[in-house]
Amino acid sequence: MHEATKAPKISFFDYIVIGGGAAGIPLATTLSDKYSVLLLERGGSPYGNPNITNVLNFGSYFSDASPNSPSQQFISEGVVNARARVLGGGTSINAGFYSRGEQKFNKEAGLKDENLVNESYEWTEKVMVFKPVVQKWQSALRAALVESGVTPYNGFTNDHVIGTKVSGTLFDENGKRHTSADLLQYANPKGLSVLLHATVQKILFKTKGRTRPLAYGVVFEDSLGNKHMAYLKGGDDDEIILSAGALASPQLLMLSGIGPKEELDAYKIKVVLPQPFVGKGMADNPMNSIFIPSPITVEPSIVQVVGVTKFGSYIEDAGGFDFIFTKPSAYQRFSPQMGGFFIEKINGPLSMGELKIKNLNPTDNPSVTFNYFKDPKDLQKCVYGIKTILKAIQSKPFAIYKYGNMTSKDILDVNLILPVNQRAHANTSSSLEQYCKDTVRSIWHYHGGCRIGKVVDDEYKVFGVDALRVIDGSTLLNSPGTNPQASVLMLGRYMGVTILGQRLTRERHNKK
């Protein structure tokens, strides 16, 4: 890894990968085996930062608004969200829960080679996934979910299965986080160049004398504001691959001249290719949480157990943690160390919005709407999820962690006072539907904006353009599994192996 300030003014590579996150690192690492690859990451290194690496510091960065924070806040419809700004992407700042996607995802994502899917998961898991040490709070949750009907109990498995299970985590037995940056140990050091604090301004295209625009380079800035140019060497199979995430990938396409024409015209961006679907189909799985005050101290733990319901809600939890990342006084007469959060997120979702650029600065957040709960089916899943959580709270296995005299309504009312979002609402619960709307949060699983079938084909090539792909969460139609990081990591490796194999086959054929 090098700071972008040390990069030459002009450089040439077989592949340029934009974004060192869950997809970009496995992709660049794989391609470096045979070809020269430049990996550009706008953030810094996750190593040596205890806020990132130590489980007990989880979430401390969400309130850090400094330009070097690994997390960049954005707000949509009163819901506070975060986009990663660090090597490792979301794997460096998330809650670490690791669970593979369902078969439906493989079909939607065009991943036809089942053996390669499994090998790609295993490739990741060998380096950065661990079996969690389940203690009392998580064990109580596990038993409470089973008693509440989230069955069967499936034990420990990384597979997506209906029922209650323990799944993998990025935190090892010492509470140390392992991120996708750890996958760089697989890289060919002679083939891969990783630049930190390298902010891509735009992708460059050749259009003269061509029926289709050809991506041939990128302009990026280092931390001092100096501009650098990186170009493809010009081989027939050389490519630029956008892996900058659900916000930055559609944003960068627009800033580079690919997007809805009226939007590009409004900012006087030269239109390379009018593409009305860029930025469309943005979705974020709404999360709702319930804090349960406990009469006894709860050992700190973040997500290790999940209940995968038949009706499309996933139930997880965090114990002994401030999971709303606020000041202790917000809990009034309670404290996060004396209690824990049950978390419910819905699958899909069906509700969607859009992303628009606000200016020409790629470091600024675009404008995003997700239209939380616009589709009534999403709201119904949330209601079922909250009902299941309330049932679990009242179950026998959970009795030691709940005040005996607190009713379900008392617990909901405590939660309506907590500052979980910026929405105005009443301080007492009127219905579970209203509770879902009033306390909606993000679980950082937003996706869309460069959807497969609309912006990219089933090989992730951008429609109408040569030498450009998008491979990351912006292509997803639904958030896979209970938590998407496993699937996005797998997608990066899968597509790296696929691209490598296709190119080597073509080169061997041409030599004959």
Side-chain angles (χ1 to χ4, degrees):
M1 299 181 300
H2 298 284
E3 285 293 324
T5 48
K6 294 180 180 173
K9 283 286 178 195
I10 296 174
S11 53
F12 295 86
F13 296 87
D14 298 313
Y15 293 96
I16 299 168
V17 178
I18 303 168
I25 287 178
L27 182 63
T29 296
T30 303
L31 294 172
S32 75
D33 188 47
K34 300 291 181 190
Y35 299 98
S36 62
V37 183
L38 175 64
L39 179 62
L40 298 168
E41 167 52 49
R42 73 185 184 121
S45 167
Y47 299 110
N49 182 342
N51 283 344
I52 291 172
T53 56
N54 187 341
V55 67
L56 294 177
N57 295 333
F58 165 67
S60 55
Y61 29 76
F62 291 134
S63 53
D64 178 1
S66 71
N68 289 321
S69 169
S71 166
Q72 183 177 358
Q73 189 179 99
F74 70 97
I75 296 167
S76 176
E77 301 142 80
V79 175
V80 182
N81 211 319
R83 64 192 283 209
R85 182 170 47 194
V86 60
L87 190 70
T91 68
S92 293
I93 63 171
N94 65 18
F97 194 65
Y98 180 96
S99 186
R100 295 181 179 188
E102 61 273 56
Q103 281 296 116
K104 176 188 161 198
F105 166 69
N106 298 339
K107 192 174 179 184
E108 286 179 352
L111 309 180
K112 299 179 180 75
D113 186 338
E114 207 163 307
N115 287 335
L116 182 54
V117 167
N118 289 328
E119 285 167 18
S120 299
Y121 276 126
E122 288 163 9
W123 182 85
T124 297
E125 289 159 8
K126 278 177 200 159
V127 170
M128 53 182 286
V129 183
F130 303 85
K131 184 177 179 179
V133 179
V134 179
Q135 297 182 54
K136 291 177 183 175
W137 168 271
Q138 297 278 345
S139 296
L141 162 77
R142 181 177 62 193
L145 285 173
V146 172
E147 189 172 298
S148 305
V150 188
T151 56
Y153 175 57
N154 297 297
F156 173 77
T157 176
N158 286 325
D159 290 332
H160 186 85
V161 283
I162 295 286
T164 298
K165 68 164 188 162
V166 178
S167 198
T169 175
L170 304 192
F171 293 97
D172 65 21
E173 61 277 10
N174 299 314
K176 182 188 172 191
R177 181 194 293 272
H178 295 260
T179 78
S180 63
D182 290 18
L183 298 172
L184 291 168
Q185 64 189 268
Y186 283 129
N188 171 8
K190 291 178 183 171
L192 182 62
S193 298
V194 181
L195 294 181
L196 303 176
H197 298 112
T199 304
V200 174
Q201 305 296 300
K202 65 176 178 177
I203 300 162
L204 304 171
F205 296 95
K206 286 179 183 167
T207 52
K208 277 189 181 170
R210 296 186 56 84
T211 53
R212 290 160 60 96
L214 172 75
Y216 73 96
V218 300
V219 183
F220 66 93
E221 268 188 15
D222 63 29
S223 58
L224 299 176
N226 298 315
K227 280 193 165 51
H228 302 256
M229 315 289 280
Y231 298 108
L232 296 177
K233 288 180 179 175
D236 288 346
D237 291 313
D238 289 2
E239 289 181 315
I240 293 167
I241 304 173
L242 253 177
S243 296
L247 267 68
S249 285
Q251 180 187 25
L252 268 172
L253 280 183
M254 289 187 210
L255 293 178
S256 305
I258 297 177
K261 186 177 183 304
E262 66 283 0
E263 206 171 327
L264 304 186
D265 287 345
Y267 290 95
K268 297 184 169 58
I269 298 168
K270 184 187 172 188
V271 179
V272 172
L273 182 77
Q275 219 310 359
F277 297 113
V278 174
K280 301 297 190 288
M282 293 296 298
D284 184 21
N285 302 73
M287 173 179 86
N288 292 81
S289 60
I290 296 182
F291 172 70
I292 305 105
S294 168
I296 61 173
T297 305
V298 176
E299 77 277 357
S301 65
I302 48 178
V303 190
Q304 298 174 339
V305 173
V306 66
V308 178
T309 68
K310 293 183 178 77
F311 52 81
S313 169
Y314 305 138
I315 298 166
E316 305 169 353
D317 84 320
F321 254 102
D322 171 23
F323 202 70
I324 55 173
F325 319 112
T326 187
K327 51 186 185 295
S329 59
Y331 287 84
Q332 299 192 10
R333 65 186 190 277
F334 303 111
S335 86
Q337 289 73 37
M338 299 287 286
F341 285 85
F342 273 63
I343 302 153
E344 180 276 340
K345 107 164 192 185
I346 67 162
N347 64 6
L350 297 171
S351 307
M352 288 181 201
E354 64 180 335
L355 175 149
K356 296 187 171 195
I357 53 173
K358 291 196 289 194
N359 55 36
L360 302 179
N361 187 348
T363 63
D364 286 351
N365 289 319
S367 165
V368 193
T369 52
F370 295 119
N371 291 323
Y372 296 107
F373 295 129
K374 187 176 181 182
D375 191 301
K377 292 192 188 78
D378 288 343
L379 187 60
Q380 204 53 53
K381 285 177 188 174
C382 175
V383 169
Y384 289 149
I386 297 295
K387 280 181 178 175
T388 305
I389 289 173
L390 292 173
K391 200 172 173 186
I393 293 168
Q394 304 294 351
S395 70
K396 268 187 195 166
F398 208 75
I400 60 165
Y401 289 115
K402 179 190 163 288
Y403 285 100
N405 61 345
M406 282 191 91
T407 65
S408 292
K409 188 174 190 311
D410 292 337
I411 291 171
L412 293 179
D413 287 350
V414 165
N415 281 270
L416 284 164
I417 297 166
L418 295 175
V420 297
N421 60 34
Q422 296 183 0
R423 294 183 164 199
H425 57 75
N427 284 343
T428 184
S429 58
S430 54
S431 69
L432 293 185
E433 284 83 359
Q434 196 58 44
Y435 182 85
C436 286
K437 291 176 184 175
D438 288 346
T439 65
V440 63
R441 298 171 62 188
S442 172
I443 197 166
W444 316 293
H445 296 169
Y446 44 90
H447 52 280
C450 299
R451 283 158 60 95
I452 192 167
K454 296 288 188 184
V455 176
V456 299
D457 64 18
D458 60 5
E459 291 189 311
Y460 296 85
K461 293 177 178 178
V462 176
F463 286 123
V465 182
D466 290 329
L468 180 64
R469 298 192 206 222
V470 181
I471 301 173
D472 62 17
S474 71
T475 66
L476 304 181
L477 304 181
N478 295 282
S479 183
T482 62
N483 303 66
Q485 70 171 345
S487 303
V488 177
L489 287 157
M490 179 273 288
L491 178 64
R493 171 64 177 174
Y494 182 105
M495 287 308 301
V497 171
T498 303
I499 293 166
L500 203 58
Q502 289 172 348
R503 181 165 185 165
L504 289 169
T505 301
R506 274 191 293 270
E507 287 179 358
R508 279 197 296 269
H509 179 76
N510 292 339
K511 279 176 186 173
K512 289 177 186 175

